[in-house]
């Protein structure tokens, strides 16, 4: 028998936030009562923004007939989306970035036809309410308020509902509204993956370590500043002069303006670093690793890698071989100089968000929401993200539902 629930749903409104920079967000907020059930037989469609092919913003299409997500595995949950975040990754995915790798992840046996990912729903951040739990889900209950970063091979959060594995989900910080919460998960799990999983940092070993963040005024950079300062690190940041006061307010100890001239010159005059997080890429690898403390376990972690470009251009097998060769060559080149070269990747993680939630509720990390858009304004929201991406910003998120 279908379980039937009443849900307050869906008023679209524009709400412009006065807070500065980095994250933009999008959501729904309820006035209209709607009867629905979370089983496939009782509800089969939902409203969503989709793309039917890769391209520019023109490929975005609103539909009321998107397929309703269903629980296929006992560890999954269905979430009613209250706020959804967009990132530069969504703009890239809209254009086909990473399509080969994502297709392999969705269909590892290559059974489905080409283009089976369409209609594709974008959106890597979600804050919402759990509506149904799989049989093996013990940590969550229906009506729990949660947040999550959505893996890029799964359908995104620009829809009324989304289905995720329970290990990708975490309880939302009590101190944040859904709009504020939607600004954090993607950048938080990306920074966590780079600094903790790859860089080996933790709250227990970070005190007094010297960390350099190249490109510190974007989403990943601003989150990393706050997390590292909460753990007691000394943080140096590169950014433009316009962002200098902003990153200092977040806790940066030293700021270098990259618009004032070659940034490597003032950085070279400073004491060497224990870890460098690179959000910029390009020719930074040419000089950045010389800023690390040699023969002390110091690491350079870059989030700008060629992995997905290689697989898109060469195919999965050849692309992975090219990636492995590139990574091995660079790692060995710098290892003989006494420093470690690493690639960092976005890695969705509920346990990581559990740790982040505690820091948020303790007041150590704050959400930065630049502007909010209604659900009907998703094209404008993606345009906002794209403009920021073109200028080299790391994240301009789109959040939504007003305050709870």
């Amino acid at each position: 028998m279908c379980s039937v629930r009443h849900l307050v749903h869906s008023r679209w409104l524009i709400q412009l936030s006065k807070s500065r920079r980095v994250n933009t967000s999008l959501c729904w907020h309820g006035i209209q009562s709607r009867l629905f059930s979370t089983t496939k037989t009782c509800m089969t469609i939902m409203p969503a923004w989709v793309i039917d092919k890769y391209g520019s913003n023109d490929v975005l299409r609103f539909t009321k007939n998107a397929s309703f997500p269903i629980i296929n595995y006992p560890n999954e949950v269905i979430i009613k989306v209250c706020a959804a975040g967009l990132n530069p990754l969504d703009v890239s995915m809209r254009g086909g970035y990473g399509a080969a790798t994502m297709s392999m992840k969705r269909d590892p046996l290559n059974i489905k036809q080409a283009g089976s990912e369409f209609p594709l729903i974008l959106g890597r951040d979600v804050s919402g309410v759990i509506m149904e739990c799989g049989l093996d889900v013990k940590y969550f209950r229906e009506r729990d308020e949660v947040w999550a970063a959505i893996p890029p091979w799964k359908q995104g959060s620009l829809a009324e509902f989304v289905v995720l594995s329970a290990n990708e989900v975490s309880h939302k910080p009590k101190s944040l509204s859904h709009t504020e919460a939607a600004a954090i998960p993607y950048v938080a799990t990306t920074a966590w993956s780079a600094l903790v999983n790859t860089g080996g940092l933790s709250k227990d070993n970070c005190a007094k370590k010297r960390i350099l963040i190249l490109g510190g005024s974007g989403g990943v950079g601003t989150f990393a500043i706050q997390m590292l300062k909460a753990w007691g690190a000394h943080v140096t940041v590169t950014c433009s002069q316009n962002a200098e006061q902003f990153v200092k307010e977040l806790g940066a100890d030293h700021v270098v303006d990259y618009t004032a001239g070659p940034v490597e010159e003032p950085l070279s005059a400073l004491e060497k670093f224990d870890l460098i997080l690179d959000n910029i890429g390009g020719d930074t690898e040419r000089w950045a690793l010389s800023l690390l403390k040699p023969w002390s376990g110091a690491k350079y972690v870059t989030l700008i890698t060629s992995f997905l470009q290689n697989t898109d251009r060469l195919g999965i097998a050849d692309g992975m071989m090219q990636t492995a060769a590139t990574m091995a060559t660079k790692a060995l080149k710098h290892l003989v100089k006494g420093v470690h070269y690493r690639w960092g990747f976005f890695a969705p993680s509920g346990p990581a968000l559990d740790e982040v939630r505690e820091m948020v509720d303790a007041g150590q990390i704050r959400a930065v929401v630049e502007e909010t858009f209604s659900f009907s304004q998703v094209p404008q929201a993606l345009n906002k993200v794209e403009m920021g991406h073109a200028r080299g910003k790391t994240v301009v998120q789109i959040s939504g539902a007003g305050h709870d």
Side-chain angles (χ1 to χ4, degrees):
M1 177 181 295
C2 300
S3 62
V4 180
R5 307 173 185 89
H6 285 283
L7 176 70
V8 173
H9 167 64
S10 203
R11 184 170 108 174
W12 303 340
L13 66 149
I14 184 167
Q15 171 184 331
L16 300 180
S17 168
K18 299 296 183 183
S19 56
R20 338 179 23 183
R21 217 172 175 79
V22 182
N23 296 333
T24 351
S25 91
L26 151 120
C27 120
W28 312 320
H29 189 187
I31 70 171
Q32 183 181 357
S33 181
R34 175 176 181 178
L35 192 65
F36 82 98
S37 168
T38 54
T39 63
K40 183 179 179 182
T41 55
C42 295
M43 187 174 185
T44 58
I45 58 174
M46 65 176 178
W49 283 90
V50 302
I51 63 172
D52 300 304
K53 61 181 180 179
Y54 297 119
S56 65
N57 228 24
D58 295 338
V59 301
L60 275 172
R61 173 175 65 88
F62 176 74
T63 178
K64 295 183 179 180
N65 299 313
S67 296
F68 188 85
I70 61 174
I71 290 176
N72 291 308
Y73 300 97
N75 69 328
E76 291 182 331
V77 296
I78 293 177
I79 300 172
K80 162 79 172 92
V81 180
C82 293
L86 290 179
N87 302 274
L89 177 62
D90 292 296
V91 176
S92 299
M93 288 180 62
R94 185 198 65 195
Y97 173 73
T101 302
M102 297 307 114
S103 293
M104 181 192 69
K105 185 68 178 178
R106 298 183 191 105
D107 182 24
L109 298 179
N110 198 26
I111 296 173
K112 299 177 182 178
Q113 294 181 346
S116 60
E117 68 268 32
F118 300 118
L120 182 65
I121 302 173
L122 303 173
R124 296 305 106 198
D125 292 292
V126 60
S127 182
V129 179
I130 288 186
M131 302 310 300
E132 186 172 354
C133 296
L135 295 176
D136 287 351
V137 176
K138 308 300 181 186
Y139 189 57
F140 301 102
R141 297 181 180 179
E142 293 178 7
R143 300 182 184 177
D144 280 358
E145 293 189 330
V146 296
W147 62 346
I150 302 173
W153 55 88
K154 293 188 176 183
Q155 293 287 37
S157 54
L158 292 181
E160 192 175 14
F161 296 91
V162 65
V163 62
L164 292 171
S165 298
N167 60 7
E168 296 161 350
V169 179
S170 169
H171 288 102
K172 179 182 78 68
K174 294 180 180 179
S175 59
L176 298 185
S177 68
H178 284 296
T179 300
E180 294 166 327
I184 293 179
Y186 174 82
V187 295
T189 50
T190 302
W192 187 279
S193 175
L195 295 172
V196 178
N197 301 347
T198 305
L201 299 180
S202 71
K203 60 184 177 183
D204 298 321
N205 68 9
C206 209
K208 298 183 180 179
K209 285 196 174 180
R210 290 180 53 78
I211 313 296
L212 171 62
I213 301 175
L214 299 173
S217 61
V220 174
T222 53
F223 179 86
I225 292 169
Q226 297 178 84
M227 184 174 77
L228 291 169
K229 289 306 299 177
W231 288 352
H234 181 282
V235 180
T236 299
V237 170
T238 67
C239 65
S240 68
Q241 184 179 16
N242 293 337
E244 182 173 348
Q245 185 60 36
F246 172 59
V247 297
K248 283 183 176 179
E249 289 172 359
L250 295 177
D253 297 289
H254 187 77
V255 181
V256 176
D257 176 13
Y258 66 77
T259 64
V263 72
E264 58 266 36
E265 294 180 6
L267 289 174
S268 299
L270 302 176
E271 182 182 344
K272 291 189 180 295
F273 298 94
D274 297 288
L275 185 141
I276 296 174
L277 176 63
D278 186 1
N279 299 298
I280 302 298
D283 71 343
T284 54
E285 291 184 14
R286 178 178 53 81
W287 50 264
L289 283 96
S290 66
L291 304 175
L292 292 169
K293 299 175 181 178
W295 308 109
S296 63
K299 295 182 178 71
Y300 167 89
V301 181
T302 179
L303 290 169
I304 312 301
T305 76
S306 59
F307 173 57
L308 293 181
Q309 291 98 325
N310 286 342
T311 54
D312 285 342
R313 181 171 55 90
L314 303 173
I316 296 297
D318 290 344
M320 293 183 72
M321 289 181 62
Q322 178 65 52
T323 297
T326 300
M327 179 64 198
T329 300
K330 291 184 176 183
L332 288 172
K333 172 185 174 182
H334 296 291
L335 186 60
V336 299
K337 299 178 182 178
V339 296
H340 298 275
Y341 176 96
R342 297 286 185 270
W343 283 359
F345 297 94
F346 163 55
S349 171
L353 288 175
D354 288 342
E355 300 276 353
V356 173
R357 179 188 69 239
E358 293 180 5
M359 288 188 281
V360 170
D361 283 338
Q364 296 172 320
I365 292 175
R366 63 183 174 95
V368 184
V369 180
E370 180 181 317
E371 189 173 356
T372 62
F373 292 84
S374 72
F375 191 43
S376 62
Q377 292 179 306
V378 167
Q380 295 94 312
L382 263 178
N383 273 334
K384 175 85 174 182
V385 177
E386 190 165 17
M387 287 190 297
H389 184 52
R391 294 195 302 268
K393 303 289 183 64
T394 307
V395 175
V396 178
Q397 287 185 309
I398 307 171
S399 68
H403 293 278
D404 303 326

